[in-house]
Amino acid sequence: MSQRVFSVILLPTAECNVACTYCFEHKEPHRLPLLLVPLLTRQLLDHIEHEGIEECEIYWQGGEAMIMGPAWFEEAGRIMNEAAAARGRRFTHYLQTNLISYSPAWDEVLRNLFGGSLGTSMDFPNLHRKLFKGGAEAYSALWTKRLREAQAAGHEIGVIAVLHQGSLDAGPEAFYRYYTEELGLTSFQVNTPFPGGPAKAVEAEFDLDKTELAEFLAGLFDIWMERGHASGVSLGPFDSLIHHFTGAPARLPCIWKENCSSQFISVDSKGTVAQCDCWVTSYPETFFGNVFRDIDLTQMLRTSPARREFIERPKHLVEHEDCLECRFLSLCHGGCPVRTYSALGTMLAKDPYCEVYKAVFGRAETHSRALLRRRVPVGSRQ
Ligand code: SF4
Ligand code: SF4
Ligand code: SF4
């Protein structure tokens, strides 16, 4: 495993201050003690040295990460960054938060540790993100207020939307207008849902008809190309697909990485190591080990039987699925293991969103060809 970037999804707590109906977290009241941050840091630095990794990205998530408070992050960031600098390495920190407890007290650490940007989530329409008291409507109102406050403080904010049946019913036009016009965002992304852990309770809302989902995404892609692409609106994952098909450097989402196991791990507040946050909270049978108990993270990752299945998944797919005949194989690699596992109970199958991906890739290809044609000077066309 040797690559330039390694990404660690760090969950300093599984606690949360809201009550989304689709949440897959087991919200235990446990927090990562600052006392253990040096040990965690040493394990990560040893690992990136062993593997010759140049850059390590830390994605702070939860639960709700802001529950830890700004002072905790300031100190944790200082400990990690000083230890990395002493070994000639560097961590880059990112924060994903529900924003509900954002206040100006966060501004300094947001600027210093997170480069003045943060990620948050909001669905359209919001039916499932709820406050403990007041439900979804109160959540939307408070979240929008916090978004405005954070924008006014100068932070750059990217928003993730998880699609559900209500999004498909509302249609791509209303969906696009909500994020760009009502919220005034220039950066958002759409994620496909998967029924992990307790989210099974609302499975019907998220078990989307694949044809309907493909049509929605194709429609959204067209709207974004027409109104947003040339005017600075970034809409993931469509923007990275356009980069890919036009030959620009593309940062594709993890679901389409060659093998997500070579770039990501997740560590929770108790030190549990798993493939990503989706696994660490929902599927204990797939844990790789514990960073506070196992002496050597590299050794743990190399010898974990649970991780072996991730590593061998792409080989298995080309041998047993029709991915080998797929013209998008070098882009998709069979899709996301957790989406597959949550739908089929095994990760050794292709992603159940296969047909949706093909439709989106096809759209990206068509739009990219049109962009490339426009770039060729008229006189040079054969
Ligand atoms: S989905 Fe995230 S924000 Fe919602 S309850 Fe779960 S941890 Fe909290
Ligand atoms: S299991 Fe899926 S969501 Fe998790 S890192 Fe891999 S591709 Fe990403
Ligand atoms: S689009 Fe479908 S067939 Fe093609 S590589 Fe992805 S999962 Fe396999």
Side-chain angles (χ1 to χ4, degrees):
M1 179 163 64
S2 172
Q3 72 278 321
R4 296 172 63 81
V5 181
F6 185 62
S7 304
V8 182
I9 301 159
L10 270 188
L11 315 177
T13 179
E15 279 180 75
C16 190
N17 49 4
V18 299
C20 306
T21 45
Y22 55 41
C23 184
F24 55 64
E25 304 284 346
H26 297 291
K27 300 191 188 82
E28 276 183 285
H30 189 271
R31 300 183 186 189
L32 174 63
L34 273 174
L35 267 177
L36 287 176
V37 172
L39 174 55
L40 170 64
T41 307
R42 185 177 60 69
Q43 285 270 40
L44 294 178
L45 288 170
D46 285 352
H47 179 64
I48 62 179
E49 266 179 22
H50 292 154
E51 299 292 319
I53 296 162
E54 291 171 16
E55 200 185 329
C56 185
E57 299 174 333
I58 307 289
Y59 290 88
W60 294 96
Q61 299 183 14
E64 167 46 31
M66 276 191 173
I67 279 184
M68 304 303 285
W72 188 93
F73 272 101
E74 202 177 315
E75 186 56 10
R78 185 193 64 74
I79 294 167
M80 294 181 77
N81 290 349
E82 284 181 8
R87 294 169 68 166
R89 306 275 157 168
R90 196 165 68 91
F91 291 118
T92 310
H93 300 266
Y94 299 90
L95 179 65
Q96 182 71 23
T97 164
N98 64 26
L99 264 189
I100 293 299
S101 55
Y102 166 76
S103 73
W106 281 91
D107 289 344
E108 201 175 322
V109 74
L110 284 175
R111 279 192 283 269
N112 295 343
L113 189 61
F114 300 104
S117 70
L118 58 89
T120 183
S121 309
M122 177 50 88
D123 311 331
F124 177 79
N126 178 32
L127 307 176
H128 301 286
R129 300 191 156 268
K130 296 180 179 174
L131 297 181
F132 284 111
K133 283 187 190 155
E137 211 173 304
Y139 186 104
S140 298
L142 183 57
W143 179 85
T144 308
K145 183 170 181 284
R146 296 287 180 251
L147 176 80
R148 302 273 181 249
E149 289 165 356
Q151 283 171 328
H155 305 303
E156 242 177 74
I157 299 169
V159 176
I160 295 175
V162 178
L163 297 175
H164 56 82
Q165 189 56 47
S167 320
L168 304 196
D169 295 344
E173 172 72 34
F175 185 90
Y176 187 80
R177 286 170 57 150
Y178 171 70
Y179 290 97
T180 54
E181 293 177 22
E182 202 171 322
L183 298 179
L185 297 171
T186 53
S187 176
F188 65 108
Q189 79 175 61
V190 284
N191 276 7
T192 52
F194 62 93
K200 283 202 174 298
V202 284
E203 201 170 329
E205 260 292 288
F206 294 95
D207 187 13
L208 304 177
D209 178 86
K210 305 294 184 290
T211 309
E212 211 186 329
L213 175 60
E215 275 169 18
F216 175 92
L217 288 171
L220 186 62
F221 208 145
D222 293 349
I223 293 170
W224 172 67
M225 284 304 292
E226 194 189 303
R227 299 180 211 162
H229 172 257
S231 47
V233 175
S234 139
L235 173 49
F238 304 153
D239 47 3
S240 14
L241 288 174
I242 292 290
H243 291 153
H244 173 85
F245 283 109
T246 55
R251 180 123 198 205
L252 292 162
C254 59
I255 55 171
W256 298 323
K257 295 271 182 207
E258 196 172 342
N259 192 330
C260 64
S261 68
S262 60
Q263 194 185 324
F264 293 88
I265 58 164
S266 180
V267 184
D268 75 4
S269 61
K270 294 179 176 171
T272 312
V273 181
Q275 179 50 44
C276 69
D277 51 314
C278 313
W279 299 93
V280 88
T281 47
S282 295
Y283 303 112
E285 68 278 16
T286 62
F287 291 171
F288 300 160
N290 188 292
V291 82
F292 300 135
R293 286 201 291 272
D294 295 85
I295 294 165
D296 184 334
L297 174 61
T298 309
Q299 195 60 18
M300 176 217 297
L301 295 179
R302 282 183 187 162
T303 56
S304 156
R307 189 161 173 274
R308 184 125 300 278
E309 207 164 324
F310 284 91
I311 295 168
E312 288 172 356
R313 180 173 181 264
K315 182 170 169 278
H316 184 92
L317 297 190
V318 294
E319 284 170 1
H320 297 93
E321 297 277 356
D322 59 0
C323 293
L324 193 58
E325 287 98 60
C326 174
R327 66 193 180 92
F328 298 118
L329 177 61
S330 64
L331 165 62
C332 170
H333 305 100
C336 163
V338 80
R339 279 165 177 73
T340 310
Y341 194 86
S342 69
L344 306 173
T346 172
M347 72 175 86
L348 296 179
K350 67 176 181 176
D351 191 318
Y353 285 111
C354 168
E355 293 308 317
V356 178
Y357 298 161
K358 281 181 183 165
V360 173
F361 298 155
R363 209 54 156 216
E365 209 175 27
T366 306
H367 284 303
S368 300
R369 281 203 195 111
L371 281 174
L372 289 171
R373 270 199 303 274
R374 263 180 260 148
R375 273 187 216 160
V376 178
V378 175
S380 70
R381 283 192 188 143
Q382 297 291 308

